[in-house]
Amino acid sequence: FANYCMMRFEIFIFILITAVVAKRIKLKDIEVLTLHDGEMTKSRRTSPVEQLHCEGGSAGCHYSPNVVQCKNEGFDGYSYQWKCSATLSKSVKFGRINVNCEGYDYAGDEHVLAGSCGLRYTLEKTQ
């Protein structure tokens, strides 16, 4: 019985620490994101994902950047618009970009978990 109580207490402490450490921020207040290849997003409700994920394109993923910076350009009434930049080979450019962040309490929440944003993108040939 003592082991059972101790285990329940440890689970309670873990949940409490997770709730305190997880920072909630309004998506509209995020001005810029700096995302790194090989690093994972923070997560609270879902599983972490890669901060940067190339989905192909006419240039493939061979020239994927190590770091991407995305700026919040505003809201168009439907979704937030992001402009992403990176040091890329002159022969490639970003095609489709899709910034996603984990809603804090539910999918689509205006509050997101700080550090939970990731970028899915394609690379297109310029020549």
Side-chain angles (χ1 to χ4, degrees):
F1 179 74
N3 284 342
Y4 173 76
C5 288
M6 184 57 129
M7 184 174 70
R8 288 185 53 104
F9 178 72
E10 288 172 351
I11 291 171
F12 172 76
I13 294 298
F14 174 77
I15 291 170
L16 182 63
I17 289 171
T18 301
V20 169
V21 172
K23 184 176 179 190
R24 186 174 107 148
I25 186 169
K26 282 190 175 183
L27 184 57
K28 72 176 187 171
D29 292 338
I30 299 174
E31 295 179 14
V32 66
L33 298 168
T34 301
L35 307 167
H36 300 270
D37 186 41
E39 292 190 21
M40 303 298 283
T41 61
K42 302 264 189 265
S43 64
R44 180 172 169 267
R45 297 181 309 99
T46 62
S47 297
V49 297
E50 298 170 304
Q51 287 186 4
L52 294 175
H53 181 80
C54 179
E55 296 183 323
S58 63
C61 295
H62 180 71
Y63 295 105
S64 293
N66 293 322
V67 178
V68 176
Q69 193 167 70
C70 296
K71 294 183 179 178
N72 185 341
E73 298 285 304
F75 188 72
D76 69 358
Y78 175 70
S79 63
Y80 286 92
Q81 303 299 301
W82 296 89
K83 182 176 183 179
C84 299
S85 60
T87 302
L88 296 170
S89 165
K90 292 182 188 215
S91 62
V92 299
K93 65 180 180 178
F94 282 117
R96 187 173 47 81
I97 60 167
N98 186 8
V99 173
N100 279 305
C101 306
E102 180 181 318
Y104 195 82
D105 288 322
Y106 52 88
D109 191 348
E110 71 174 11
H111 291 93
V112 299
L113 176 65
S116 71
C117 299
L119 173 66
R120 298 177 77 88
Y121 64 92
T122 60
L123 291 174
E124 306 300 334
K125 294 178 183 178
T126 58
Q127 304 168 7

